């Protein structure tokens, strides 16, 4: 089954959520998209490039830091959540008396915190 991206021209309910004209729905089944286009509710748009490596890198980083729903968040929310997690790690490391926290990566902080908590 092929999938296409569509831009709505009318009000449509998608997955229980009302969508308005101008909204773009990604990866719609061909038969549904064709039906909506035939009825004048949508038009086909160019699909997003599959290789959005920056966003994927952010999602991977978010997952590594334990950000909830990292695979589904958009870029701005993901950057916000990652910054919050990194800040939390810095504060936790400071509370545990770990030195040089500013120079450590998030992964190094996670390891250092785990070590400090074992003691």
């Amino acid at each position: 089954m092929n999938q296409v991206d569509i831009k709505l021209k009318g009000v449509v309910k998608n997955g229980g959520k009302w969508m308005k004209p101008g909204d773009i729905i990604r990866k719609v089944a061909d038969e549904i998209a064709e039906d909506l286009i035939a009825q004048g509710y949508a038009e086909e748009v160019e699909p997003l490039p599959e290789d959005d490596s920056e966003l994927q890198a952010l999602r991977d980083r978010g997952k590594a830091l334990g950000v909830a729903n990292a695979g589904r968040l958009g870029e701005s929310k993901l950057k916000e959540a990652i910054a919050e997690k990194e800040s939390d790690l810095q504060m936790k490391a400071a509370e545990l008396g770990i030195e040089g926290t500013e120079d450590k990566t998030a992964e190094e902080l996670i390891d250092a915190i785990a070590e400090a908590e074992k003691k």
Side-chain angles (χ1 to χ4, degrees):
M1 176 191 312
N2 289 332
Q3 296 179 331
V4 297
D5 294 352
I6 58 171
K7 181 177 181 180
L8 299 178
K9 292 178 166 184
V11 177
V12 174
K13 194 170 192 176
N14 178 45
K17 181 180 170 193
W18 287 102
M19 311 286 289
K20 63 187 180 308
D23 286 348
I24 295 177
I25 304 174
R26 304 284 175 196
K27 298 187 178 181
V28 177
D30 266 348
E31 58 196 39
I32 295 170
E34 287 172 14
D35 190 37
L36 288 170
I37 291 167
Q39 293 179 43
Y41 286 110
E43 64 186 4
E44 188 172 347
V45 294
E46 287 293 315
L48 284 177
E50 287 298 321
D51 181 34
D52 192 347
S53 54
E54 183 180 341
L55 180 58
Q56 189 56 49
L58 279 172
R59 286 183 170 154
D60 292 343
R61 178 141 181 80
K63 287 176 188 174
L65 292 172
V67 172
N69 298 318
R72 296 194 311 235
L73 293 176
E75 185 176 350
S76 63
K77 293 256 186 212
L78 197 51
K79 284 181 177 179
E80 207 174 285
I82 288 171
E84 189 175 314
K85 284 286 187 183
E86 288 174 340
S87 175
D88 291 348
L89 286 172
Q90 290 281 347
M91 288 180 12
K92 177 115 177 156
E95 288 171 11
L96 292 170
I98 298 170
E99 296 191 14
T101 58
E102 312 80 35
D103 301 328
K104 295 185 185 303
T105 66
E107 291 77 10
E108 291 171 335
L109 283 173
I110 291 170
D111 293 341
I113 289 169
E115 275 299 311
E117 288 178 334
K118 284 181 188 176
K119 295 178 183 175

